[in-house]
Amino acid sequence: GKEVSIADRDNAVVSQARTDSLGLVNVELPEYKVNGKEKVVSSPYTVEVEGVKREVTLDSNKTITSVIK
């Protein structure tokens, strides 16, 4: 499988995974986190596969399924 790396808006890596035999990877991404009374927005995320980057902007928590060939 191919290595998939996902970073949040601050470029902190939040997930690293390998695709399965079909080229699929599933990752749940939160739109934001709550720290006490503070809302910390995590989006947009950057998804990188083999040097190719795509930005993903969320308007709610999402589970992303990507097929990588």
Side-chain angles (χ1 to χ4, degrees):
K2 295 183 181 179
E3 183 72 26
V4 178
S5 178
I6 302 173
D8 66 11
R9 70 182 293 143
D10 297 322
N11 290 321
V13 175
V14 296
S15 180
Q16 287 188 306
R18 284 205 166 276
T19 60
D20 65 14
S21 62
L22 299 175
L24 296 172
V25 63
N26 290 310
V27 178
E28 183 177 356
L29 300 174
E31 177 189 8
Y32 62 87
K33 301 172 191 165
V34 177
N35 184 7
K37 293 183 178 184
E38 182 183 1
K39 178 179 170 179
V40 180
V41 177
S42 302
S43 179
Y45 289 91
T46 301
V47 179
E48 181 175 0
V49 181
E50 295 187 334
V52 177
K53 295 181 181 182
R54 297 281 187 258
E55 189 172 278
V56 178
T57 302
L58 304 180
D59 58 4
S60 63
N61 289 0
K62 301 281 186 199
T63 298
I64 294 175
T65 301
S66 295
V67 178
I68 300 164
K69 297 180 179 184

